[in-house]
Amino acid sequence: MNLLPAIVSTAAAAAAGIAAWGAVAPSSELFGPTVRHTSSSRKIALTFDDGPNPTVTPHLLELFERHSVHATFFLIGEFARACPELVKEISVRGHLIGNHSHTHANLFFRSRAGIRDELVRCQDAIAAASHAEPPRWMRPPYGYRSPLLRGEIRRAGMRGVVMWSKICWDWKPRPPQRLIERLSRVARPDQPHGDIVVLHDGDHRALGGDRHHVVAALEHWLPRWRDAGMEFVTMESSSVTGAGGTCSP
């Protein structure tokens, strides 16, 4: 019996499985280092994807102002072009802005030139709107990376990829209580590192997505985290860590 076809098929399936894990698992560094923790269990990095969103982002900015919180917003380039004043307001209020691609494309399926186009157009859109330097960090849409991404990030002048330690499945409208319960897993004192939490202030499909449950859940948790002695940091205001070690600003 010729076992070679079966062996080849099994090996191919295993390689495909490893590639899929490497592309999307937050803890994977198969395609390059990632950041997914803060350096201390007392530090929380709140991060937001898919904005700016004129119906929700201003409410978050007001909430953060009340509680002296700084966050990181990973913006979609085409939305930044549509809402330049909101991008500028995020920056002026002291929050960090990151690159979330220009059109929220799945970068795993893009060529090198396609990845470059998504990153550079987003960089340009954010820099033009904020009148500041372009972002130094990016988060890939859907969390998907490819072997080509790391080189294009460097080429675009960025420092690296930010993943997460906690994801709360908040990208569909839902009662705030469900998100409040999921956020109870954040900032547990027995953790060796602090959490990078991914939330969504926008909907990548269109401007104006309903994310008011995110605002309501944070209205519940921000004072409680403050009372517990937690510090809110951005990707630049504290050391952040990945599986490969510490990446200090």
CSV table of all heavy atoms in Angstrom, one decimal, residues 56 76 82 87 89 93 100 161 186 190 198 201 211 234:
chain,number,residue,atom,x,y,z
A,56,VAL,N,-21.2,57.4,18.6
A,56,VAL,CA,-20.8,56.8,19.8
A,56,VAL,C,-19.4,57.3,20.4
A,56,VAL,O,-19.3,57.6,21.6
A,56,VAL,CB,-20.6,55.2,19.6
A,56,VAL,CG1,-20.0,54.6,20.9
A,56,VAL,CG2,-22.0,54.6,19.4
A,76,ILE,N,-10.3,53.1,11.3
A,76,ILE,CA,-10.4,52.7,9.9
A,76,ILE,C,-10.1,54.0,9.1
A,76,ILE,O,-10.8,55.0,9.3
A,76,ILE,CB,-11.8,52.1,9.6
A,76,ILE,CG1,-12.0,50.8,10.4
A,76,ILE,CG2,-11.9,51.9,8.1
A,76,ILE,CD1,-13.3,50.2,10.2
A,82,ALA,N,-13.7,60.6,6.6
A,82,ALA,CA,-15.1,61.1,6.7
A,82,ALA,C,-15.4,61.9,7.9
A,82,ALA,O,-16.3,62.8,7.9
A,82,ALA,CB,-16.1,59.9,6.6
A,87,VAL,N,-11.5,62.7,14.6
A,87,VAL,CA,-10.2,62.2,14.8
A,87,VAL,C,-9.3,63.1,15.5
A,87,VAL,O,-8.6,62.8,16.5
A,87,VAL,CB,-9.5,61.8,13.4
A,87,VAL,CG1,-8.1,61.4,13.6
A,87,VAL,CG2,-10.4,60.8,12.7
A,89,GLU,N,-10.3,65.4,17.6
A,89,GLU,CA,-10.7,65.5,19.0
A,89,GLU,C,-10.2,64.3,19.8
A,89,GLU,O,-9.8,64.5,21.0
A,89,GLU,CB,-12.3,65.5,19.0
A,89,GLU,CG,-12.9,65.7,20.4
A,89,GLU,CD,-12.7,67.1,21.0
A,89,GLU,OE1,-12.3,68.0,20.2
A,89,GLU,OE2,-12.9,67.2,22.2
A,93,ARG,N,-7.6,65.2,23.0
A,93,ARG,CA,-7.9,64.8,24.4
A,93,ARG,C,-6.9,63.8,25.0
A,93,ARG,O,-7.1,63.3,26.1
A,93,ARG,CB,-9.3,64.2,24.4
A,93,ARG,CG,-10.4,65.2,24.1
A,93,ARG,CD,-11.8,64.6,24.5
A,93,ARG,NE,-12.9,65.6,24.2
A,93,ARG,CZ,-13.9,65.7,24.9
A,93,ARG,NH1,-14.0,65.1,26.1
A,93,ARG,NH2,-14.9,66.6,24.6
A,100,HIS,N,-6.0,50.7,11.8
A,100,HIS,CA,-6.9,49.5,11.7
A,100,HIS,C,-7.2,49.2,10.2
A,100,HIS,O,-8.2,48.6,9.9
A,100,HIS,CB,-8.1,49.7,12.5
A,100,HIS,CG,-8.9,48.4,12.8
A,100,HIS,ND1,-8.2,47.3,13.3
A,100,HIS,CD2,-10.2,48.1,12.8
A,100,HIS,CE1,-9.1,46.3,13.5
A,100,HIS,NE2,-10.3,46.8,13.2
A,161,VAL,N,2.3,45.2,16.1
A,161,VAL,CA,0.9,44.7,16.1
A,161,VAL,C,0.5,44.6,17.5
A,161,VAL,O,1.1,44.1,18.4
A,161,VAL,CB,0.8,43.4,15.4
A,161,VAL,CG1,-0.6,42.8,15.6
A,161,VAL,CG2,1.1,43.5,13.9
A,186,VAL,N,-12.0,41.2,33.5
A,186,VAL,CA,-10.9,42.1,33.3
A,186,VAL,C,-10.3,42.5,34.7
A,186,VAL,O,-11.0,42.6,35.7
A,186,VAL,CB,-11.3,43.4,32.5
A,186,VAL,CG1,-10.2,44.4,32.5
A,186,VAL,CG2,-11.8,43.0,31.1
A,190,ASP,N,-5.0,38.2,40.3
A,190,ASP,CA,-4.1,37.0,40.3
A,190,ASP,C,-3.4,36.9,39.0
A,190,ASP,O,-2.6,35.9,38.8
A,190,ASP,CB,-4.9,35.8,40.6
A,190,ASP,CG,-6.1,35.6,39.6
A,190,ASP,OD1,-6.5,36.6,38.9
A,190,ASP,OD2,-6.6,34.5,39.5
A,198,VAL,N,-10.0,44.6,24.1
A,198,VAL,CA,-10.5,45.1,22.8
A,198,VAL,C,-12.0,45.3,22.9
A,198,VAL,O,-12.8,44.4,23.3
A,198,VAL,CB,-10.1,44.1,21.6
A,198,VAL,CG1,-10.7,42.7,21.8
A,198,VAL,CG2,-10.6,44.7,20.3
A,201,ASP,N,-16.0,50.9,19.2
A,201,ASP,CA,-16.8,52.1,19.2
A,201,ASP,C,-17.5,52.3,17.9
A,201,ASP,O,-18.3,53.2,17.7
A,201,ASP,CB,-16.0,53.3,19.6
A,201,ASP,CG,-14.9,53.6,18.6
A,201,ASP,OD1,-14.3,52.7,18.1
A,201,ASP,OD2,-14.6,54.8,18.5
A,211,ARG,N,-23.3,51.2,19.2
A,211,ARG,CA,-22.4,50.7,20.2
A,211,ARG,C,-22.7,51.3,21.6
A,211,ARG,O,-21.8,51.4,22.4
A,211,ARG,CB,-21.0,50.9,19.8
A,211,ARG,CG,-20.6,50.2,18.5
A,211,ARG,CD,-20.6,48.7,18.6
A,211,ARG,NE,-20.2,48.0,17.4
A,211,ARG,CZ,-21.0,47.6,16.5
A,211,ARG,NH1,-22.3,47.7,16.7
A,211,ARG,NH2,-20.6,47.0,15.4
A,234,THR,N,-2.3,53.7,27.7
A,234,THR,CA,-2.3,53.5,26.2
A,234,THR,C,-1.1,52.7,25.9
A,234,THR,O,-0.3,52.3,26.7
A,234,THR,CB,-2.3,54.8,25.5
A,234,THR,OG1,-1.0,55.4,25.6
A,234,THR,CG2,-3.3,55.8,26.0
